[in-house]
Each structure stands twice: as structure tokens, then as C-alpha cells.
Amino acid sequence: MDPTVLAWALAQPAGTRAAVLANAYTGGTTRVTFDGRTVEYRSLDELGRALSVLHGAENTAARRPSVTFASFSREGIR
């Protein structure tokens, strides 16, 4: 489990899907109930991967696009 992902999830408001998954992960349980649904993960590793996917999906929209600027000139080269 990436510590950055876990820290992000634990910082989410209580009751959100990320916080529920993080609390289950840190508590060592693989059964999670959220919005009236119960999901049983096969392992903590699988739960951690689900948390990483959620983190990636939540943060993809927040990322700013990367821009590279290049300038070329024919002057000065002989």
C-alpha cells in the first residue's frame, strides 16, 4: 500500500468511500459496508488496490495538464 494513498484516504471526510476503505485497511479487515452494500475483499492487498484505483480516479480530474514550451532559432548556428 502506497503511504500517500493511505494518508489521502484517511484525510477524507468520515463516511466517504475512501475513508471507509482506509479504516478497513488499517483495521485489518476485508469486509466493508458502504451505502447499504457489503463487499468482502479477498485480501488486504486487493482492498489496497481498490483504494489506489479510487485515489487515481479522484485525483485524475484535479491534475493540471503538463505543458512544454520549445523555442528554435536559425540565428547563431553557422
Side-chain angles (χ1 to χ4, degrees), residues 18-44:
V20 170
L21 286 173
N23 287 328
Y25 184 86
T26 58
T29 185
T30 55
R31 181 175 288 184
V32 178
T33 301
F34 183 77
D35 280 343
R37 288 183 43 208
T38 299
V39 177
E40 179 83 32
Y41 291 92
R42 289 178 277 189
S43 66
L44 287 176

Side-chain angles (χ1 to χ4, degrees), residues 3-69:
T4 305
V5 172
L6 188 57
W8 167 82
L10 289 170
Q12 298 305 304
T16 62
R17 186 173 181 189
V20 170
L21 286 173
N23 287 328
Y25 184 86
T26 58
T29 185
T30 55
R31 181 175 288 184
V32 178
T33 301
F34 183 77
D35 280 343
R37 288 183 43 208
T38 299
V39 177
E40 179 83 32
Y41 291 92
R42 289 178 277 189
S43 66
L44 287 176
D45 186 52
E46 185 180 39
L47 193 150
R49 285 193 308 269
L51 196 52
S52 293
V53 168
L54 180 62
H55 176 261
E58 289 284 326
N59 290 309
T60 298
R63 290 187 196 145
R64 296 179 65 193
S66 175
V67 176
T68 303
F69 179 75

